[in-house]
């Protein structure tokens, strides 16, 4: 049976993903949009990756990897076609996933580590923490093969795999005042990131310390702080989600289709939004734009999480992956017990 709290958390986060991708289209010059953007990007992907770790399993590993590979190749091609249609094509690359596709490639790398996490859980928690915080010192850590993001966000996946279910259980019965105060405490560091004018490059996790123009010691300190802030926000999210069913639960159950398809709607809306805001806008208009974007994100997520849409996106790749896995996995030979009478002859 599915965990409603887990699905609600995924539903909230996928809404933030869509909302976060709409915000740059209305502009980040105003303080309100910049605040919302900073808060969202400081924790929403770490939290999503944490939840992915909770549901990760080493069973049917080849099938899971094959599913991600099929989706990555198919949607990389589809986004290339979509971008060409609007006259803004990106340079095709087999090693540098376009835009939101980085997450699928990173999922492949993280999933490959699941057997080791299950075998050495505490060791991998420590190792992943060091790797994630220090990944920026590596000169080759960049967008190629999603190396930087895979390493930076790996601790969230590992901790989700090892401790995620326990943390969900521990936060299930907290008093209301504890939940509210926990969310308030978690919001303060996120607000501090905005006040400090944190470069969005730190929140993306896609570049090394040279790219971010800081020394290695300073970069390690900043990355450690960002990691702790994200974990604090994740704990607040776990405490805040209720145990109930509703529209958010359905969106969370079918977050894959929302994630993969919402980019096409963002691409389609971008020219209209750019033209609308090309003449500038006041603070009141900006507030209205943020509110409308929030409702638009909800509408997009609701539409893309419909059962037929989710089936089209998820079922054929999974069936193809299962077929590939059956070809690559050797079948066990039927074992016939030895005949004692025959051996006695």
């Amino acid at each position: 049976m599915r965990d409603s709290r887990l699905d609600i958390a995924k539903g909230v986060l996928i809404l933030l993903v869509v909302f976060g991708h709409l915000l740059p289209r209305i502009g980040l010059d105003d303080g309100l949009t910049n605040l919302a953007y900073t808060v969202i990007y400081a924790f929403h992907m770490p939290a999503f990756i944490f939840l992915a770790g909770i549901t990760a399993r080493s069973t049917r590993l080849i099938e899971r990897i094959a599913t991600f590979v099929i989706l990555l190749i198919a949607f990389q091609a589809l986004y290339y076609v979509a971008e060409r249609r609007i006259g803004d094509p990106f340079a095709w690359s087999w090693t540098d996933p376009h835009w939101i596709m980085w997450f699928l490639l990173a999922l492949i790398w993280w999933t490959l580590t699941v057997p080791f996490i299950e075998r050495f859980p505490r060791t991998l928690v420590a190792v992943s923490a060091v790797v994630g915080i220090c990944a920026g010192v590596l000169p080759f850590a960049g967008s190629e093969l999603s190396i930087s993001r895979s390493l930076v966000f790996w601790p969230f996946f590992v901790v989700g795999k090892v401790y995620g279910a326990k943390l969900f259980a521990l936060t299930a019965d907290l008093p209301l005042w504890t939940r509210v105060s926990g969310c308030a405490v978690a919001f303060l560091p996120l607000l501090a990131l905005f006040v400090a004018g944190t470069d969005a490059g730190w929140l993306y996790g896609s570049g090394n310390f040279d790219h971010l123009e800081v020394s290695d010691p300073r970069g390690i300190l900043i990355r450690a702080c960002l990691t702790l802030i994200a974990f604090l926000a994740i704990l607040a999210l776990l405490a805040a989600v209720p145990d109930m069913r509703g529209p958010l639960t359905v969106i969370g159950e079918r977050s894959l289709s929302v994630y993969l398809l919402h980019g096409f709607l963002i691409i389609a809306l971008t020219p209209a939004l750019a033209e609308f805001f090309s003449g500038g806008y006041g603070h009141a208009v900006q507030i209205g734009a943020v509110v409308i974007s929030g409702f638009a994100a909800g509408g997009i997520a609701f539409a893309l999480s419909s059962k037929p849409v989710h089936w089209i996106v998820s079922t054929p790749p999974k069936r193809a992956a299962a077929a590939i896995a059956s070809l690559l996995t050797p079948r066990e030979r039927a074992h016939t017990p030895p005949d004692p009478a025959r051996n006695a002859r």
Side-chain angles (χ1 to χ4, degrees), residues 116-323:
F116 302 99
I117 300 171
E118 292 177 345
R119 181 68 179 84
F120 309 104
R122 294 181 180 178
T123 301
L124 265 295
V125 168
V127 169
S128 67
V130 173
V131 169
I133 292 171
C134 300
V137 305
L138 302 174
F140 56 83
S143 60
E144 285 287 321
L145 297 174
S146 297
I147 291 176
S148 181
R149 281 167 163 157
S150 297
L151 297 177
V152 167
F153 295 131
W154 188 36
F156 300 99
F157 183 84
V158 177
V159 174
K161 170 64 179 171
V162 177
Y163 297 115
K166 295 179 182 178
L167 291 174
F168 251 113
L170 288 173
T171 56
D173 300 318
L174 292 176
L176 178 60
W177 69 268
T178 305
R179 297 169 185 262
V180 173
S181 59
C183 291
V185 169
F187 179 74
L188 291 177
L190 301 177
L191 179 62
L193 293 178
F194 164 72
V195 173
T198 305
D199 191 314
W202 283 102
L203 308 181
Y204 300 152
S206 57
N208 58 23
F209 297 151
D210 286 340
H211 176 78
L212 295 166
E213 299 180 345
V214 296
S215 64
D216 289 348
R218 181 176 175 81
I220 290 172
L221 178 61
I222 294 174
R223 180 60 67 198
C225 291
L226 291 174
T227 301
L228 290 175
I229 290 171
F231 270 120
L232 183 61
I234 291 170
L235 289 175
L237 175 67
L238 299 186
V241 291
D243 187 6
M244 57 181 290
R245 289 196 63 83
L248 274 177
T249 315
V250 177
I251 292 173
E253 290 175 349
R254 303 168 184 170
S255 58
L256 178 66
S257 56
V258 180
Y259 158 68
L260 289 172
L261 296 176
H262 81 277
F264 295 111
L265 297 181
I266 300 294
I267 291 171
L269 290 171
T270 295
L273 291 173
E275 183 178 353
F276 182 80
F277 290 109
S278 61
Y281 43 86
H283 187 64
V285 176
Q286 186 74 8
I287 294 175
V290 171
V291 173
I292 292 172
S293 296
F295 281 105
I300 290 172
F302 183 78
L304 298 182
S305 63
S306 64
K307 192 172 183 179
V309 173
H310 182 70
W311 187 95
I312 292 172
V313 170
S314 62
T315 303
K318 287 181 179 178
R319 290 181 177 176

Side-chain angles (χ1 to χ4, degrees), residues 50-81:
F50 177 89
L51 298 184
I54 293 178
T55 57
R57 300 289 183 272
S58 60
T59 55
R60 303 200 311 273
L61 191 65
I62 295 178
E63 182 178 336
R64 294 173 187 271
I65 297 297
T67 301
F68 297 144
V69 170
I70 291 170
L71 289 172
L72 176 60
I73 294 174
F75 278 88
Q76 177 90 342
L78 289 172
Y79 273 104
Y80 182 76
V81 172

